[in-house]
């Protein structure tokens, strides 16, 4: 259960950051278009829910990590590396081996997925002008999908 919560909070953090960055990029794009004379006027509506969402997810992640740190510190033979990677117990050799396999699968996925995304940026360059959300959300999707692949492969190998 701890792994599901950790991966979910990390994925939500990347998504919340992408949503917050999107507002900033969109406003800067309007200012740039206005400054260059492409548009005469513009209005901007900034919703506070994106910043609130980012703050809530960050606070939840910090609280979860503090609780996890306290639990690890209560163990007599606890090591710092048990806290750094909270997804598994480093004293369990099987979990260490399964994590290694899951990390390899996630890393291979991230490499190939990044190549596909970079190629998509090259094929349609007007994404940056017409759809500023595209590069932001595709970039944020790299670690999100990597974490999901890690979770799925870890659970798959753990069930075997």
């Amino acid at each position: 259960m701890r792994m599901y919560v950790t991966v979910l909070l990390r994925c939500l953090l990347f998504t919340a950051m992408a949503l917050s960055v999107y507002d900033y990029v969109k406003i800067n794009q309007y200012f740039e278009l206005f400054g260059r004379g492409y548009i005469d006027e513009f209005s901007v509506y900034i919703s506070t829910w994106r910043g609130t969402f980012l703050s809530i997810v960050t606070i939840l992640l910090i609280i979860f990590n503090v609780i996890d740190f306290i639990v690890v510190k209560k163990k007599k033979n606890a090591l710092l590396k048990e806290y750094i990677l909270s997804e598994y117990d480093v004293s369990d050799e099987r979990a260490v081996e399964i994590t290694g396999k899951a990390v390899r699968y996630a890393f291979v996925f991230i490499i190939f997925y990044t190549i596909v995304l970079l190629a998509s940026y090259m094929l349609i360059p007007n994404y940056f002008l017409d759809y500023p959300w595209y590069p932001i959300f595709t970039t944020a999707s790299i670690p999100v999908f990597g974490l999901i692949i890690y979770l799925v492969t870890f659970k798959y190998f753990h069930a075997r």
Side-chain angles (χ1 to χ4, degrees):
M1 188 62 174
R2 193 166 104 185
M3 179 183 272
Y4 286 113
V5 172
T6 302
V7 169
L8 175 68
L9 286 174
R10 288 178 186 170
C11 290
L12 285 175
L13 182 66
F14 285 115
T15 304
M17 289 174 70
L19 287 168
S20 295
V21 168
Y22 171 71
D23 275 345
Y24 176 78
V25 168
K26 191 68 176 168
I27 292 168
N28 278 339
Q29 184 181 37
Y30 281 136
F31 274 113
E32 191 64 33
L33 291 172
F34 181 73
R36 292 183 182 188
Y38 292 118
I39 57 174
D40 294 328
E41 61 183 26
F42 67 93
S43 64
V44 176
Y45 171 73
I46 300 174
S47 175
T48 58
W49 75 267
R50 289 178 175 106
T52 305
F53 181 57
L54 177 61
S55 300
I56 290 170
V57 170
T58 303
I59 290 168
L60 286 174
L61 191 59
I62 290 170
I63 289 171
F64 184 76
N65 283 334
V66 167
I67 291 170
D68 194 41
F69 181 72
I70 291 169
V71 168
V72 168
K73 283 303 244 181
K74 284 186 178 183
K75 292 182 183 177
K76 292 182 182 179
N77 298 329
L79 300 173
L80 181 62
K81 64 182 180 180
E82 289 183 29
Y83 169 69
I84 292 173
L85 295 172
S86 63
E87 288 86 3
Y88 69 100
D89 182 12
V90 294
S91 61
D92 183 6
E93 291 179 18
R94 181 173 174 250
V96 173
E97 182 182 335
I98 291 171
T99 299
K101 287 180 183 178
V103 167
R104 282 191 290 277
Y105 277 91
F107 184 71
V108 167
F109 173 81
I110 287 171
I111 295 295
F112 286 113
Y113 185 65
T114 303
I115 291 169
V116 169
L117 289 180
L118 288 174
S120 75
Y121 293 163
M122 182 182 66
L123 294 175
I124 307 174
N126 69 343
Y127 274 153
F128 298 101
L129 298 174
D130 298 331
Y131 308 105
W133 54 266
Y134 181 77
I136 294 168
F137 290 110
T138 54
T139 304
S141 72
I142 295 170
V144 169
F145 285 138
L147 285 166
I148 291 170
I149 294 296
Y150 167 75
L151 176 66
V152 168
T153 55
F154 183 92
K155 290 301 180 180
Y156 172 76
F157 288 123
H158 192 268
R160 285 179 52 188

